[in-house]
């Protein structure tokens, strides 16, 4: 991440990203939320942090919110819920990409909440989303589940808002 071109994306807080690149957030079991519209580099930043964590010797797992939801749903149907939760609790860093891009099935937000709860204060999670934090209850259809997820995610978290590069006056 030392060779990142922060001038190409002025909506990113360079100081915060450089601090995250030290991976200290893993030692504290802190979380990272990248919030912003599609196409501003949220996934790229999360993958770069994940790669740095792997290179530092940590276990990392990358998934999308939709894949996580589908995997949990299948595990529940097959009687493997506990092993599925243990799987997602295992990595030092879990990266959940694209939260809010696709609607989650009815039990999807609940499964995601349970994964977040399993990891709470034990391991770090990076989450990318195009849904503003204030809009989570509407996006997930359940204000209680959204509040519980946010409570655990934000308790120890860095929130990085990303936005589009301003277009040149035309």
């Amino acid at each position: 991440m030392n060779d990142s071109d922060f001038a190409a994306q002025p909506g990113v807080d360079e100081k915060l990203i450089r601090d995250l690149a030290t991976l200290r957030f893993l030692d504290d079991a802190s979380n990272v939320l990248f919030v912003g519209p599609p196409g501003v580099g949220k996934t790229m930043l999360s993958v770069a942090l994940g790669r740095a964590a792997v290179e530092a010797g940590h276990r990392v797992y990358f998934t999308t919110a939709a894949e996580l939801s589908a995997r949990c749903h299948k595990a529940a149907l097959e009687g493997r819920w506990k092993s599925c939760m243990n799987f997602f609790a295992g990595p030092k860093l879990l990266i959940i990409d694209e939260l809010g891009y696709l609607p989650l099935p009815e039990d999807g937000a609940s499964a995601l909440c349970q994964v977040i709860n399993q990891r709470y204060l034990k391991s770090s999670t990076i989450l990318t989303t195009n849904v503003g934090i204030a809009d989570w209850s509407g996006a997930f259809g359940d204000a209680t589940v959204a509040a519980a997820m946010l409570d655990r995610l934000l308790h120890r978290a860095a929130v990085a808002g990303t936005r589009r590069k301003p277009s040149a006056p035309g």
Side-chain angles (χ1 to χ4, degrees):
M1 295 193 70
N2 290 333
D3 59 351
S4 296
D5 181 8
F6 289 96
Q9 185 46 272
V12 174
D13 182 343
E14 180 178 353
K15 183 179 176 188
L16 174 60
I17 300 306
R18 292 203 185 278
D19 183 58
L20 291 171
T22 67
L23 303 178
R24 282 191 298 259
F25 73 97
L26 295 175
D27 297 332
D28 300 334
S30 295
N31 303 308
V32 178
L33 277 70
F34 289 116
V35 182
V40 295
K42 299 179 300 294
T43 299
M44 181 208 60
L45 290 168
S46 67
V47 167
L49 290 170
R51 181 175 176 164
V54 166
E55 290 172 354
H58 300 290
R59 280 185 48 216
V60 176
Y61 187 77
F62 178 95
T63 187
T64 65
E67 289 168 352
L68 183 147
S69 172
R71 187 171 182 164
C72 289
H73 180 74
K74 183 177 180 190
L77 292 175
E78 295 174 354
R80 298 180 299 102
W81 182 257
K82 184 174 168 107
S83 66
C84 184
M85 289 296 110
N86 287 340
F87 174 82
F88 284 115
K92 180 78 168 178
L93 175 60
L94 175 64
I95 301 170
I96 304 170
D97 196 30
E98 299 179 341
L99 182 66
Y101 286 79
L102 298 172
L104 293 175
E106 189 173 312
D107 61 351
S110 176
L112 178 61
C113 184
Q114 290 182 58
V115 167
I116 299 299
N117 193 47
Q118 285 273 19
R119 300 179 58 75
Y120 181 56
L121 299 178
K122 298 174 195 150
S123 306
S124 298
T125 302
I126 294 177
L127 195 135
T128 71
T129 181
N130 64 335
V131 178
I133 291 171
D135 299 324
W136 275 34
S137 61
F140 302 115
D142 187 327
T144 303
V145 169
M149 268 195 291
L150 283 169
D151 179 54
R152 284 156 184 81
L153 284 168
L154 295 175
H155 177 223
R156 283 194 228 162
V159 178
T162 55
R163 61 184 189 275
R164 295 199 185 285
K165 184 177 181 178
S167 44

